[in-house]
Amino acid sequence: MSSKKTDLMPVTADGLIHIVRGQRILLDSDLAGLYGVPTRVLNQAVARNRKRFPTDFAYRLTAQEVKNLKSQIVTSSFNHGGRRKLPWAFTEQGVAMLSSVLRSPMAIKVNIEIMRAFVRLRQLLATPGELVTQVQQMAAALKLHDDQIQELFAVLEQMLAPPPEPTRGRFGFHPPDTSEQKS
């Protein structure tokens, strides 16, 4: 009995979001992969609708930005297919605008997941109080451990120090002198 898979696998864009020029962006090749289309098809759709993508929605990366991203993410999809042009970077607004350019059911589902990823990221960044509390707790624990380690080193130093010289004097059992008590 063969079962046909009709539902799409859940899409997550959390790991694809990068910070470039102080903005959270997704690369054209990553978006094309999520949408299941070749990168050139996505870029052609953007080129046909260029007025919908001002520079605060989408922009080409510089060669230096591409180099920096490659070093940050180690495995790079920039060279797949022999890219001839620098990749496009899409901000959150640019990704939202793609939904008006790419109208397939897959594009709708992917856009929803991408928007959710941006929202999750914004929520993480919007709750610094909780993060600050966790960092403070970690710092207190480290301080406590640091103090305990210092005490341990002090004990170890005492143990490694040469033993003190033995006291010279009378050894063995010596009864008290009774002659002094009789007088």
Side-chain angles (χ1 to χ4, degrees), residues 8-54:
L8 295 171
M9 296 289 282
V11 178
T12 58
D14 292 332
L16 303 177
I17 298 173
H18 307 285
I19 305 291
V20 176
R21 300 182 193 175
Q23 297 176 309
R24 292 182 293 274
I25 59 103
L26 282 163
L27 298 173
D28 57 358
S29 56
D30 293 334
L31 283 167
L34 290 171
Y35 287 123
V37 298
T39 304
R40 67 176 171 73
V41 170
L42 184 133
N43 287 337
Q44 285 171 351
V46 172
R48 283 192 303 269
N49 297 281
R50 192 64 193 114
K51 290 183 180 180
R52 293 179 183 254
F53 296 94

Side-chain angles (χ1 to χ4, degrees), residues 22 32 35 38-39 43 70 80 84-85 87 104 111 119 140 171 174:
Y35 287 123
T39 304
N43 287 337
K70 280 184 182 181
H80 293 303
R84 293 184 187 121
K85 296 182 179 178
S104 71
N111 255 9
V119 168
F171 286 99
H174 299 282

Side-chain angles (χ1 to χ4, degrees), residues 36-133:
V37 298
T39 304
R40 67 176 171 73
V41 170
L42 184 133
N43 287 337
Q44 285 171 351
V46 172
R48 283 192 303 269
N49 297 281
R50 192 64 193 114
K51 290 183 180 180
R52 293 179 183 254
F53 296 94
T55 57
D56 57 328
F57 283 26
Y59 52 87
R60 285 226 186 253
L61 296 179
T62 65
Q64 185 61 46
E65 289 168 335
V66 171
K67 185 178 176 182
N68 291 345
L69 271 179
K70 280 184 182 181
S71 68
Q72 286 175 17
I73 59 178
V74 182
T75 58
S76 169
S77 62
F78 298 133
N79 295 326
H80 293 303
R83 277 196 93 122
R84 293 184 187 121
K85 296 182 179 178
L86 294 169
W88 280 92
F90 291 87
T91 64
E92 185 175 353
Q93 295 85 359
V95 172
M97 187 58 73
L98 277 173
S99 66
S100 67
V101 174
L102 304 170
R103 297 183 186 158
S104 71
M106 174 70 151
I108 293 168
K109 288 182 181 183
V110 169
N111 255 9
I112 289 169
E113 287 304 315
I114 291 170
M115 290 299 110
R116 286 180 177 155
F118 275 116
V119 168
R120 282 191 297 272
L121 191 58
R122 197 177 308 113
Q123 286 172 340
L124 282 174
L125 296 174
T127 56
E130 187 175 314
L131 185 60
V132 167
T133 302

Side-chain angles (χ1 to χ4, degrees), residues 138-159:
M138 287 174 46
L142 287 174
K143 173 80 171 107
L144 174 66
H145 291 184
D146 189 42
D147 292 343
Q148 291 170 340
I149 290 170
Q150 291 297 330
E151 289 176 24
L152 181 63
F153 276 125
V155 170
L156 286 174
E157 284 179 3
Q158 288 176 357
M159 291 175 69

